[in-house]
Amino acid sequence: MKQINLLNLLLLCLTLVIAVSCTETKKQEGTAEYQVFPHKMPIEKPDFPLSAAAERMFDYPAPRAQDNELFTQFKYTRLEGLDYNGGDGTITRRDPSRPILVDGKYYMWYTKRHTKVPPVGARNAGEATDEIPSTDWDLCDLWYATSTDGFKWEEQGIAVARPPKPALGWRSVATPDILVWKGKYYLYFQAFNEPSGTKGDWCPISMAYADSPNGPWTHVGKPVVPFGKKGEWDQDQTQDPHPIIYKGKIYLYYKAAYNKWPDLRDKYAVAHGLAIAEDPFGPFEKCPLNPVLNSGHETTYFPFKEGIAALAIKDGNEAQTMQYAEDGVNFKIAATVELTPTAAGAYTPDAFTGTDYGRGVTWGMCHFINAASTRDRKHSIIARFDCDLSLDCDEKWLKSTGVWHRPDVYFKQGLGGLRKKREGIK
Ligand code: AAL
């Protein structure tokens, strides 16, 4: 009995010695009192030493993803009303603009290809003719459709057609986005003078304007966001224009692929730049800090609180993230997201109001470029996505922190032939 008591006493002493020495070490280092991260999630960043990861939790809009206004899941719906010729590859619709609401109707603009045959692909661009498209976005015009609910769409016809050769865009006009400025409408888009894939995907952003969303549209016939000088990151292309009215000016975000592409296709990198204008016709001054987003492919931006939010999808170290820039320029990761919409244009009621406190978005349009059942029927389809990236909605089901995919989705990402061959597996 006595022995057990003595043992207990010894243990107690040992614990005290360890505790005292820990505290002393902390004191020697001059740090605050040793504290353990609490079980109840702190609202503010705790005022004691944290690991880098714990510290970062408080750099996001909220430490828990479920409470983060810029975290969401994305849900998808097939559109009704748009025909694809049985998916044979002769009709493509892709790169939708953000939809806008005018007199009770939603309008969207997009790239449409209706060719006799499907595209031969960028690598075979030399085989392209006046009737044979190289890429999916070669030999295209800008079309538009309207809807009363955002699910059923009625195609209305061509908004901006390819002009006759040699005018800018004679080969293809693609990837439009809309700006509403002082009651008038402006479509910014890519204007190609060669089959995409010839040297690369080289084209500048051009523009067309109209008094009504139904047109008629007048194409300015020249680049409005020109290439950078040789040696600059955007020397060969300005693409995916995405305009917003911010701080009383037009903030047009765009994309360029760089780093020696196309000579070294596998070394390519993609980033986004910002060009600012006081008038839709320009001049667009490129932000000296460009590129402003180091990841992502097509551009998706919207006013959010005092700043601008962006979605970075594929490409780059920060792919699959929502980002936020309080000044529209210096973006930081605000959330990591999954199953992100490709080439998304979100319905953004305050994109053109000049708001000083953006409310965010809940739905929009996107595309799937692999809609074909087989490679020789290559085409894209436009779809709708829904999400909760809005200050005005709080839909718990869209804030769940993960979605489950069936095994088929994973098995589709199989080994293919290469690795099996290397490892000698039959
Ligand atoms: C896209 C965009 C641009 C490219 C091509 C059509 O989705 O990045 O528009 O040029 O692919």
Side-chain angles (χ1 to χ4, degrees):
M1 194 67 159
K2 254 190 190 165
Q3 267 179 349
I4 293 174
N5 278 343
L6 201 64
L7 199 65
N8 276 348
L9 196 67
L10 269 173
L11 275 175
L12 188 69
C13 289
L14 197 65
T15 319
L16 275 172
V17 168
I18 292 173
V20 167
S21 63
C22 276
T23 322
E24 274 175 358
T25 317
K26 288 289 169 193
K27 274 185 186 154
Q28 270 167 16
E29 287 168 8
T31 52
E33 207 175 296
Y34 177 76
Q35 283 187 55
V36 176
F37 197 86
H39 178 70
K40 190 171 167 17
M41 177 68 83
I43 298 168
E44 304 271 313
K45 189 182 286 194
D47 188 19
F48 54 78
L50 296 170
S51 69
E55 179 106 24
R56 263 199 321 275
M57 289 167 67
F58 299 91
D59 295 341
Y60 294 105
R64 275 177 11 113
Q66 298 92 325
D67 308 321
N68 181 346
E69 298 284 6
L70 286 176
F71 173 78
T72 186
Q73 292 296 339
F74 295 95
K75 304 292 169 187
Y76 295 87
T77 311
R78 198 180 279 277
L79 300 186
E80 286 175 50
L82 301 176
D83 172 66
Y84 288 90
N85 221 13
D88 66 359
T90 59
I91 298 183
T92 209
R93 290 188 189 82
R94 52 180 295 144
D95 289 296
S97 70
R98 71 169 88 244
I100 58 166
L101 185 61
V102 186
D103 298 333
K105 263 197 284 185
Y106 294 107
Y107 285 73
M108 70 158 163
W109 291 263
Y110 46 90
T111 310
K112 181 177 176 187
R113 173 178 59 75
H114 192 170
T115 45
K116 288 187 183 154
V117 291
V120 290
R123 288 201 168 85
N124 306 318
E127 291 167 26
T129 67
D130 286 352
E131 296 195 321
I132 303 177
S134 60
T135 57
D136 193 29
W137 55 95
D138 185 28
L139 294 178
C140 289
D141 301 293
L142 305 181
W143 286 62
Y144 75 115
T146 58
S147 169
T148 50
D149 61 8
F151 291 94
K152 289 191 197 104
W153 289 85
E154 223 176 296
E155 191 157 77
Q156 301 295 336
I158 292 189
V160 181
R162 271 170 285 156
K165 201 172 178 176
L168 181 67
W170 67 267
R171 180 67 198 187
S172 196
V173 286
T175 319
D177 217 327
I178 187 78
L179 166 73
V180 186
W181 174 266
K182 299 187 179 159
K184 299 218 191 289
Y185 299 83
Y186 301 85
L187 276 176
Y188 294 87
F189 53 88
Q190 301 177 188
F192 287 90
N193 271 1
E194 61 186 24
S196 159
T198 305
K199 293 197 284 283
D201 194 34
W202 292 12
C203 65
I205 291 169
S206 189
M207 188 266 274
Y209 55 94
D211 290 340
S212 146
N214 298 303
W217 295 89
T218 307
H219 181 186
V220 296
K222 56 178 187 186
V224 291
V225 184
F227 297 163
K229 291 194 208 79
K230 282 288 164 210
E232 294 177 357
W233 73 289
D234 55 354
Q235 65 169 29
D236 297 326
Q237 53 179 241
T238 53
Q239 300 191 334
D240 293 284
H242 210 68
I244 292 177
I245 298 180
Y246 184 57
K247 295 183 178 164
K249 296 186 178 170
I250 302 159
Y251 272 50
L252 186 148
Y253 295 91
Y254 66 97
K255 174 201 101 187
Y258 65 108
N259 197 36
K260 295 194 180 166
W261 189 77
D263 318 338
L264 294 169
R265 179 75 175 91
D266 61 340
K267 297 283 184 286
Y268 95 129
V270 175
H272 292 179
L274 166 64
I276 303 174
E278 294 187 18
D279 186 274
F281 289 84
F284 279 89
E285 297 287 336
K286 291 187 184 168
C287 173
L289 298 181
N290 276 350
V292 294
L293 207 68
N294 63 29
S295 299
H297 197 87
E298 292 94 349
T299 47
T300 304
Y301 290 77
F302 55 89
F304 192 75
K305 295 190 173 171
E306 295 88 354
I308 300 285
L311 167 63
I313 55 161
K314 69 183 271 291
D315 290 328
N317 282 321
E318 297 176 4
Q320 310 296 327
T321 58
M322 284 301 307
Q323 306 224 0
Y324 178 66
E326 213 170 38
D327 57 359
V329 173
N330 290 289
F331 285 89
K332 289 186 185 147
I333 298 176
T336 300
V337 280
E338 60 186 305
L339 219 64
T340 49
T342 305
Y347 171 61
T348 313
D350 53 9
F352 311 123
T353 59
T355 178
D356 51 18
Y357 204 80
R359 307 302 307 176
V361 302
T362 57
W363 68 278
M365 314 310 297
C366 61
H367 72 202
F368 293 107
I369 61 166
N370 53 354
S373 51
T374 53
R375 277 175 162 220
D376 55 352
R377 295 156 73 90
K378 171 94 185 152
H379 69 283
S380 308
I381 60 170
I382 294 177
R384 171 181 165 128
F385 69 91
D386 281 79
C387 61
D388 176 1
L389 292 167
S390 162
L391 299 176
D392 300 321
C393 96
D394 185 20
E395 299 199 47
K396 295 264 175 299
W397 66 285
L398 286 167
K399 296 280 186 194
S400 88
T401 51
V403 288
W404 294 101
H405 304 294
R406 293 187 177 279
D408 269 4
V409 174
Y410 294 87
F411 291 139
K412 278 231 166 81
Q413 304 299 319
L415 285 181
L418 284 177
R419 174 162 295 190
K420 281 190 175 170
K421 203 170 152 195
R422 202 185 68 199
E423 294 184 3
I425 302 165
K426 292 248 155 68

